[in-house]
Amino acid sequence: MNAIISASELADALRSERPPVLLDVRWQLSTAAAAGEPFDGRAAYASGHVPGAVFVDLDRELASAPGARGRHPLPDLDVFGAAMRRAGVSAGTPVVAYDGGIGWAAARAWWLLRWTGHPDVRVLDGGLPAWEGPLETEAPTPAEGDFVPEPAGSGVLDADGAAALARAGVLLDARAGERYRGEVEPIDPVGGHIPGAVSAPTSDNVDAGGRFRPAAELRARFGRLGATPDAPVGVYCGSGVSAAHEVLALEIAGIPAALYVGSWSEWSSDPARPVAVGPDPQ
């Protein structure tokens, strides 16, 4: 099953006998919008969303509170499961997640649902800007779903696992190149990267319109970085959100990958962890 869905395919699916549950996961990493106010995903949702979509709060429902495990640790599974059931998610119901266009937040929802056992979840390619149909402002009240998250035994890395993979496999750093090199660090305590990690900015996964590049292009891109279907691959970013987008791009390319959820926000907060700077992975 393809991990992404186009806007036209979504429109057809919504008219089908088995329409998907829609999750609106609008969220921004920036703490301030253009007007100088903190971004409010719920307000953006209320101003207009794909008909039938239910708002999901990334910070509260797709992550736990920030702390020693990073800025967006794994959510409490009871909280996550309740949020998914409230949205109407059932084990046998298709799910489509979308966000404001960058794709990071929708990918976080996709990854969590996949990791906890949902068999049929996709991301709207290009997000809400790609949707050409009508919008609505009324929040729906879907029937309660029955999805109960059951985490897989693999697919997640902790700090030690990420360090080991950087040596024995391929660990991709999905942040911007300047953060990887340690030239700037706007959020976390220290700039740089996990020793052995390879720079692979998430921005290179998509075209100028914000849609994922074709599978063959992504496969070639990751292959140049050493990530192939036969290699053990992991991904991290700042806090496990944009890295989910990279895991999704790898999925499109046919390359399984694990996610280091704590990412640089966890790694850099531990003074015992080594830090590399510059363009060289080591």
Side-chain angles (χ1 to χ4, degrees):
M1 184 188 68
N2 199 342
I4 56 175
I5 185 171
S6 70
S8 61
E9 289 170 333
L10 176 58
D12 289 342
L14 290 173
R15 291 191 292 265
S16 72
E17 295 181 355
R18 190 168 171 255
V21 171
L22 291 178
L23 307 180
D24 184 308
V25 202
R26 270 178 278 183
W27 172 87
Q28 286 185 7
L29 177 62
S30 174
T31 57
E37 297 294 331
F39 178 76
D40 187 339
R42 193 176 296 277
Y45 166 83
S47 70
H49 51 266
V50 178
V54 175
F55 179 72
V56 175
D57 190 318
L58 185 148
D59 290 317
R60 293 174 175 82
E61 296 172 324
L62 304 184
S64 297
R69 293 180 298 136
R71 278 181 277 112
H72 290 102
L74 286 172
D76 179 284
L77 289 181
D78 289 339
V79 173
F80 172 64
M84 294 300 98
R85 291 188 293 273
R86 172 185 58 82
V89 175
S90 291
T93 305
V95 179
V96 173
Y98 71 87
D99 57 25
I102 196 169
W104 294 0
R108 172 77 174 215
W110 167 85
W111 180 83
L112 276 168
L113 280 165
R114 286 283 302 274
W115 178 65
T116 55
H118 199 287
D120 189 353
V121 54
R122 289 180 283 179
V123 167
L124 175 59
D125 196 17
L128 188 62
W131 176 252
E132 297 180 349
L135 299 178
E136 69 178 15
T137 57
E138 182 177 352
T141 54
E144 183 88 357
D146 64 16
F147 178 69
V148 177
E150 297 181 2
S154 61
V156 174
L157 297 170
D158 59 13
D160 289 340
L165 189 60
R167 301 299 183 189
V170 181
L171 182 64
L172 301 178
D173 185 317
R175 298 172 301 158
E178 58 268 24
R179 291 185 69 192
Y180 170 88
R181 295 187 296 271
E183 297 166 359
V184 298
E185 182 44 65
I187 304 173
D188 294 312
V190 180
H193 58 270
I194 296 174
V198 178
S199 181
T202 302
S203 57
D204 291 345
N205 295 332
V206 297
D207 61 21
R211 291 175 173 83
F212 280 97
R213 298 186 184 280
E217 288 186 23
L218 290 171
R219 196 175 304 116
R221 180 212 176 194
F222 291 123
R224 289 190 293 270
L225 299 173
T228 66
D230 299 325
V233 178
V235 187
Y236 75 95
C237 58
S239 66
V241 178
S242 66
H245 188 275
E246 191 108 297
V247 173
L248 175 56
L250 285 156
E251 175 82 6
I252 295 168
I255 303 170
L259 176 65
Y260 173 26
V261 180
S263 284
W264 190 247
S265 60
E266 178 186 39
W267 184 278
S268 63
S269 66
D270 183 352
R273 297 285 177 186
V275 172
V277 296
D280 190 320
Q282 307 304 324

